[in-house]
Amino acid sequence: MACSFLIHQVHGSYIRLQAAQQSQGIQTLLEAEKEAAKIVQQARQYRVQKIKDARSEASKEIEAYKQAKEAEFRAFESSHAGSTSNAQTAVDRDTEIKLKAITQSYEQSKEDVVEKLLARVVLVKPELHRNLKKL
């Protein structure tokens, strides 16, 4: 009986030792899981920060490109502004010549037109109405 008690006692210690080792293994796994969660969280924060940095850098590049293109457009506009004013001057001159020609034609023809209009207004041919002719 002493032998069975001793075996039982040794066996119980072994079971406790095994349970302690399993508990320690579970604890190690939990700690490893926490550490992995921290690493994943840090990776997410790093990725978010990289995206923010990339957006900021892209905005700066877009703004620089926009300013360069606006400066290029202003230079183009100023170099061609002289040709626009020259074209406007030529159009104004051509318009003035055409207006003078129209005014001159008006002055030459106005008396003849008035005489023709008066002649037609004053010219009366007495006739019977077409409905009265049929009767």
Side-chain angles (χ1 to χ4, degrees):
M1 188 152 145
C3 190
S4 72
F5 177 73
L6 188 58
I7 291 174
H8 183 64
Q9 204 175 19
V10 170
H11 185 63
S13 297
Y14 178 72
I15 291 174
R16 277 188 237 125
L17 180 64
Q18 214 175 17
Q21 286 177 346
Q22 286 178 350
S23 176
Q24 186 178 4
I26 291 172
Q27 195 65 26
T28 305
L29 286 174
L30 289 173
E31 288 173 8
E33 186 178 351
K34 287 179 184 178
E35 187 65 30
K38 285 181 186 177
I39 292 171
V40 168
Q41 183 62 27
Q42 288 173 349
R44 285 183 182 150
Q45 289 174 348
Y46 179 77
R47 187 187 82 213
V48 167
Q49 186 61 41
K50 282 294 186 182
I51 290 172
K52 286 180 182 178
D53 293 345
R55 284 184 181 156
S56 174
E57 187 65 30
S59 295
K60 289 176 185 176
E61 288 179 18
I62 289 169
E63 189 61 33
Y65 181 76
K66 183 179 177 182
Q67 289 176 355
K69 285 299 179 181
E70 285 178 0
E72 183 181 328
F73 175 72
R74 278 192 236 92
F76 176 80
E77 189 176 43
S78 65
S79 70
H80 288 81
S83 63
T84 304
S85 63
N86 291 342
Q88 184 65 39
T89 305
V91 167
D92 289 345
R93 197 174 25 235
D94 190 37
T95 303
E96 193 64 36
I97 291 170
K98 288 180 180 178
L99 278 174
K100 285 181 182 178
I102 291 170
T103 304
Q104 186 180 10
S105 174
Y106 165 75
E107 290 296 331
Q108 288 175 354
S109 304
K110 83 176 172 182
E111 288 186 26
D112 290 338
V113 170
V114 170
E115 287 178 22
K116 286 181 183 179
L117 282 172
L118 285 175
R120 285 301 214 179
V121 169
V122 178
L123 179 67
V124 177
K125 292 183 186 177
E127 296 179 350
L128 290 174
H129 193 269
R130 64 181 176 193
N131 290 339
L132 285 177
K133 288 181 186 179
K134 292 181 182 178
L135 290 176

